[in-house]
Amino acid sequence: MRATMAALAGRAGRTSPHTVDAVLAVALTAFTLIWEANDRSGGWRGPDAVSAALTCAANLPVAVRRRAPLTVLLGCVAAAAVHHALGYRPSADNFSCLFALYTVVVQRPLPAVLAGAGLATALWWWAGVMAADGAVLLNAAQGLAFSVATCTFGLGNRRLADRNRRLAELTEQLRQEQEDRERRAVTRERVRIARELHDIVAHHISVMSVQAGLGSYVVDSDPRTAREALTTIADTGREAMEELRRLLSLLRVDGGGSGDNDGGSGSSSSGDNSGDGEKYASAPGVGRLGPLAERLRAAGVPVDMRITGEPRPLPPGLDLCAYRIVQECLTNVLKHAGPARAEVTLAYGADELTVRVADDGRPPARPGASRGHGLVGMAERVKLYRGTIGHGPRPDGGFEVVAAFPLAPASGGSRSATP
């Protein structure tokens, strides 16, 4: 039984407005014909084929009132007026024009509404005149009241439909804007991930490549140097794996914090008890510039580190940004500058951090040639923290990159360990 009722409700919900209008038109016609056939009060002309035809002409057009409301209203009023003029019962065929008037109010502009209301009121007045019962004014007031009530109801539904339509448009606009924001967020995240992967892979692979070449060259003549090169390759590979693991853990971390256990067992080793916090804490910063410089020195690039001003803790994002800029610059020195010495300077000012990386290597072979994505990535990073960056050849040879970041005023006594 419930299934049958649900099916009937579903069919009713899928009923089209035109079907409803057709049923309404047939019901009005049938009711009027039955009424005229059974009502013998008054001295009106009895129902016949003409009255039946006029009744059908006055009521059946309601079935198409949504397609041409003003035309339907004119047809209904004209047929009803002829019906009354021929002496048939004047109280019949008057309500169909109200349904047509309602549709005119909902769909058509104000001039058409006023014209339709005038036609409907005139029909009711004409029916009152033809009734000849001495209540012409009362009948006219009744017709005016019916027309005003119909117009009021139609205008209310029209405003409601306009609000619903506007709400649907705003909802669609909001949905599109949300999708655009999501697409932009995905694009920004892809750019960020690509930048992180570039910095991680480019630096560590460059160091490992240089050390592998050195080790293969001296493996027979200088086993000690070859072992040191292999040790550097192993250390660099482990650091690259740690940074890649941190990046991947950020991509797949969930709200519960337990979905990142790759072991598949219910228990975790002592090294896993630190939780997800250490995955985030493992992001490098200026505090790890010392090991970075040591790795470059082992790869054959002398690196001098200098810190001026009063070092202090940096926001995590800015800390990582400064580290990545130094890492990218030193990687470029290793890859492109040839035999060169690099100098890294961190200058802490009252409200600014300046990062400077300079080398004395050879200039690019073609000054106009593309330098890849490194400088572009650094510029994007600096822009995120409202900083500025400049780069170019030095007057006395080599290349220099200078990035400046605004800082909050230093609080008294805050210091951090130098790299």
Side-chain angles (χ1 to χ4, degrees), residues 402-416:
V402 179
F405 302 93
L407 295 178
S411 58
S414 62
R415 290 180 179 271
S416 64

Side-chain angles (χ1 to χ4, degrees), residues 103 160 165 305 380:
T103 310
L160 179 61
R165 183 168 54 252
M305 295 286 300
E380 291 175 350

Side-chain angles (χ1 to χ4, degrees), residues 294-324:
E294 288 296 331
R295 191 161 55 246
L296 266 292
R297 294 186 188 110
V301 178
V303 179
D304 296 330
M305 295 286 300
R306 290 200 308 157
I307 297 179
T308 63
E310 181 181 359
R312 60 182 186 269
L314 300 175
L318 179 57
D319 199 19
L320 175 61
C321 178
Y323 177 88
R324 291 298 189 207

Side-chain angles (χ1 to χ4, degrees), residues 108-404:
R108 293 296 182 261
L110 182 60
V113 172
L114 295 177
L119 285 173
T121 304
L123 175 64
W124 281 84
W125 175 80
W126 174 246
V129 170
M130 295 305 297
D133 56 359
V136 176
L137 292 179
L138 180 61
N139 292 334
Q142 183 184 29
L144 180 62
F146 280 134
S147 298
V148 170
T150 301
C151 291
T152 302
F153 185 65
L155 288 174
N157 284 346
R158 180 173 183 168
R159 286 193 294 268
L160 179 61
D162 290 340
R163 284 196 295 268
N164 290 340
R165 183 168 54 252
R166 180 59 179 165
L167 180 61
E169 293 173 355
L170 292 176
T171 302
E172 177 64 19
Q173 181 180 354
L174 179 62
R175 185 188 65 81
Q176 293 179 356
E177 291 177 354
Q178 184 176 0
E179 290 180 354
D180 292 340
R181 286 196 297 269
E182 290 175 355
R183 282 194 293 268
R184 289 194 296 269
V186 170
T187 301
R188 287 195 297 268
E189 188 65 13
R190 286 176 177 173
V191 172
R192 186 186 71 83
I193 294 171
R195 190 165 53 232
E196 287 287 318
L197 288 174
H198 172 271
D199 292 343
I200 294 172
V201 173
H203 170 75
H204 292 88
I205 294 300
S206 297
V207 173
M208 293 167 68
S209 176
V210 171
Q211 290 296 310
L214 175 62
S216 64
Y217 181 74
V218 300
V219 65
D220 295 325
S221 60
D222 192 349
R224 181 174 176 275
T225 302
R227 283 194 299 272
E228 292 177 354
L230 291 175
T231 301
T232 302
I233 292 174
D235 294 341
T236 304
R238 278 193 296 271
E239 182 172 345
M241 287 299 298
E242 290 176 2
E243 294 201 29
L244 288 174
R245 188 178 296 111
R246 176 188 61 83
L247 181 60
L248 294 177
S249 68
L250 294 177
L251 295 179
R252 65 172 182 262
V253 67
D254 58 10
S258 61
D260 293 330
N261 186 2
D262 295 333
S265 61
S267 62
S268 59
S269 62
S270 59
D272 295 330
N273 292 335
S274 56
D276 289 332
E278 292 187 359
K279 296 178 182 177
Y280 296 100
S282 63
V286 295
R288 290 173 60 178
L289 288 179
L292 176 66
E294 288 296 331
R295 191 161 55 246
L296 266 292
R297 294 186 188 110
V301 178
V303 179
D304 296 330
M305 295 286 300
R306 290 200 308 157
I307 297 179
T308 63
E310 181 181 359
R312 60 182 186 269
L314 300 175
L318 179 57
D319 199 19
L320 175 61
C321 178
Y323 177 88
R324 291 298 189 207
I325 288 176
V326 175
Q327 182 187 54
E328 176 65 24
C329 291
L330 294 180
T331 302
N332 289 338
V333 173
L334 177 64
K335 293 167 58 178
H336 305 299
R341 175 179 296 274
E343 180 180 284
V344 178
T345 303
L346 297 180
Y348 291 86
D351 55 1
E352 185 178 70
L353 169 66
T354 302
V355 179
R356 176 179 176 271
V357 181
D359 67 81
D360 56 2
R362 63 174 182 267
R366 298 190 306 275
S370 172
R371 298 189 182 96
H373 302 285
L375 294 175
V376 176
M378 286 190 287
E380 291 175 350
R381 287 183 181 277
V382 172
K383 185 178 179 181
L384 287 175
Y385 298 96
R386 295 176 290 115
T388 59
I389 188 169
H391 53 79
R394 303 171 62 191
D396 53 350
F399 198 80
E400 180 181 59
V401 176
V402 179

